[in-house]
Amino acid sequence: MDVRKEDELCLVSIREALEVVRGKWSFLVLSLLSLGPQRFNQMRRNLDNISIKSLTDVLRHLEQYKVINREVFPTLPVAVEYSLTDKGREYIPVLAQMRKWGKNWGEHPQLVDGRNQL
C-alpha cells in the first residue's frame, strides 16, 4: 500500500471517530455513561443546562453509531436506561486522551460566569 493511500485511510478513520463526538453534548454524555448506566432524567439533572430536545438528539445520534444501548423497562411509567456498548466503552480511552491533551495544551477559555468550560 502506498503512503498516500494509507494517509487517506487514516484520515477517514479519524473522521469517523470524530463524527461520534460531534457537537458539545456527545462528549459529555459519553463521559457520564462511562460512570455507569443512566436514565434520561438522571442525565438531564447531571448535565445541568441541556434541553430535552438536545439530550434526545444526542442519545439518538450515539445510538445510531452503536456506542450506547437503549433499554426499555416495561414499568408504569415506562423506564428507559442508557448504557455504553462494547464499542462505546472502547471510546473512553480516546476521550481520556483528548482530555489529557486539552489539559496540557488547551487555553482553558472562561465562560461568561467565570467557570472553566469543562
Side-chain angles (χ1 to χ4, degrees):
M1 179 180 286
D2 67 25
V3 174
R4 186 157 197 255
K5 185 67 173 173
E6 192 172 315
D7 286 346
E8 287 175 17
L9 291 174
C10 178
L11 290 176
V12 167
S13 298
I14 291 170
R15 196 173 312 125
E16 287 177 6
L18 289 174
E19 181 61 26
V20 172
V21 291
R22 70 177 163 93
K24 71 178 186 178
W25 294 112
S26 293
F27 167 80
L28 295 171
V29 168
L30 287 173
S31 297
L32 185 61
L33 290 176
S34 74
L35 303 174
Q38 299 265 318
R39 291 191 175 168
F40 187 89
N41 284 326
Q42 281 178 295
M43 283 190 279
R44 279 199 62 222
R45 282 190 298 273
N46 289 325
L47 298 170
D48 288 333
N49 57 352
I50 191 169
S51 69
I52 291 172
K53 182 185 181 329
S54 293
L55 182 55
T56 300
D57 289 348
V58 75
L59 290 170
R60 285 182 182 152
H61 168 79
L62 294 172
E63 191 177 4
Q64 177 185 350
Y65 279 89
K66 297 180 177 28
V67 294
I68 66 167
N69 182 49
R70 180 180 187 267
E71 187 174 0
V72 178
F73 296 95
T75 58
L76 287 175
V78 172
V80 179
E81 186 176 82
Y82 296 89
S83 60
L84 293 177
T85 62
D86 289 340
K87 184 178 179 180
R89 282 187 291 278
E90 257 191 66
Y91 209 91
I92 297 307
V94 174
L95 295 175
Q97 286 299 313
M98 290 170 65
R99 179 177 183 254
K100 182 179 176 182
W101 186 90
K103 184 177 178 184
N104 290 337
W105 297 102
E107 304 222 359
H108 306 290
Q110 298 290 307
L111 291 176
V112 174
D113 65 3
R115 294 180 299 142
N116 282 333
Q117 282 192 12
L118 295 176

